[in-house]
Amino acid sequence: MQITFYGHASLGIQIDNINIIVDPFITGNPKASEIDINTLAADYIMVTHAHQDHILDVESIAKRTGAKIISNFEIVSYYEKLGIAGHPMNHGGQWNFDFGNVRYVNAIHTSSFPDGSYGGQPGGFVIKTKRKAIYIAGDTALTYDMKLIPKAYKYDLDLAILPIGDNFTMGVNDAMIASDFLKCDNILGYHYDTFGYIEIDSVNAKAKFDAELKSLTLLKIGQSIEI
Ligand code: NI
Ligand code: MN
């Protein structure tokens, strides 16, 4: 599984020959100006919630590629009205896709579309393939619900992708506690430094994780990791 950071909370995930884009907000992010969305391959677009900084480029990428939206029922319904196909889910449910199993899990946040229409309840995703399991938290506070992922749902996570920018989501200290709840010490941080409210001290953040024998990976925009 290859994971590419496209800035903010936008990710590319390649599983074998399937391409997934998560929460594309690229054309609106000056820091991601080197990423050309017209070059991104997508079979699926996973959307955690309806906020602008997670959906901005969904419509254009879906229309160009024919990618299917995976999200909550309300978000999938919204895009179906625009002629874009999707697979609706809701919290706690799972489905076997051709790339692996996906579960839509709880997030504590809000989820209105930029026009004010209802975007369902926000969520995160757990993706499990034959070889790896990852958790994409979406925008969320630290929540005890994260304990369900290893305990009740029995995922042995290889990587947890957590927001660390604070103000709108968890910050670094809460992400370390989330790592304990998730029983996963391998964290990829996202949702930080894009704009003023969420700027962090990256060196200090990594040092805090190191001190607890955890790993915080922070990718440059366009950079990939293999897990
Ligand atoms: Ni949000
Ligand atoms: Mn956000």
Side-chain angles (χ1 to χ4, degrees):
M1 189 184 302
Q2 189 185 56
I3 298 165
T4 306
F5 182 52
Y6 292 129
H8 195 51
S10 308
L11 305 164
I13 301 175
Q14 194 177 4
I15 300 169
D16 299 325
N17 57 348
I18 306 279
N19 288 287
I20 303 163
I21 293 178
V22 182
D23 286 357
F25 170 77
I26 297 164
T27 59
N29 180 4
K31 297 189 172 186
S33 60
E34 284 176 23
I35 308 294
D36 177 2
I37 61 163
N38 294 309
T39 64
L40 302 181
D43 299 291
Y44 298 93
I45 303 173
M46 300 177 76
V47 182
T48 61
H49 66 293
H51 285 160
Q52 178 79 320
D53 61 314
H54 299 257
I55 63 146
L56 180 68
D57 297 315
V58 168
E59 187 177 346
S60 61
I61 295 171
K63 286 190 168 163
R64 179 179 55 81
T65 59
K68 206 170 182 180
I69 314 279
I70 301 172
S71 190
N72 68 33
F73 175 79
E74 289 79 5
I75 290 173
V76 167
S77 301
Y78 177 96
Y79 285 107
E80 278 174 347
K81 287 190 191 116
L82 301 174
I84 297 164
H87 180 107
M89 300 187 74
N90 220 324
H91 299 90
Q94 56 181 318
W95 185 261
N96 290 319
F97 292 89
D98 54 357
F99 58 86
N101 178 277
V102 173
R103 190 189 291 263
Y104 192 60
V105 294
N106 294 350
I108 296 194
H109 194 66
T110 54
S111 179
S112 49
F113 280 94
D115 64 5
S117 59
Y118 180 55
Q121 297 295 307
F125 295 103
V126 182
I127 303 175
K128 187 175 177 11
T129 68
K130 283 190 200 88
R131 292 178 289 277
K132 300 287 175 183
I134 66 166
Y135 167 53
I136 302 164
D139 285 8
T140 184
L142 176 65
T143 161
Y144 268 43
D145 288 343
M146 291 169 179
K147 292 186 177 189
L148 294 172
I149 292 171
K151 194 173 181 185
Y153 298 157
K154 308 280 185 209
Y155 292 104
D156 185 8
L157 295 174
D158 296 286
L159 179 73
I161 303 172
L162 303 179
I164 56 169
D166 220 326
N167 190 71
F168 296 116
T169 67
M170 291 190 286
V172 170
N173 292 340
D174 288 353
M176 286 195 291
I177 299 168
S179 158
D180 291 336
F181 286 0
L182 294 161
K183 299 192 190 300
C184 177
D185 290 335
N186 191 21
I187 306 300
L188 174 64
Y190 76 168
H191 211 278
Y192 67 98
D193 279 0
T194 317
F195 31 76
Y197 289 123
I198 60 172
E199 279 169 6
I200 68 160
D201 179 339
S202 298
V203 173
N204 186 40
K206 285 188 171 215
K208 284 182 173 178
F209 273 75
D210 283 348
E212 293 202 3
L213 304 178
K214 297 176 184 295
S215 161
L216 176 66
T217 301
L218 300 176
L219 298 175
K220 290 195 176 73
I221 295 176
Q223 195 182 358
S224 301
I225 47 166
E226 190 77 43
I227 64 153

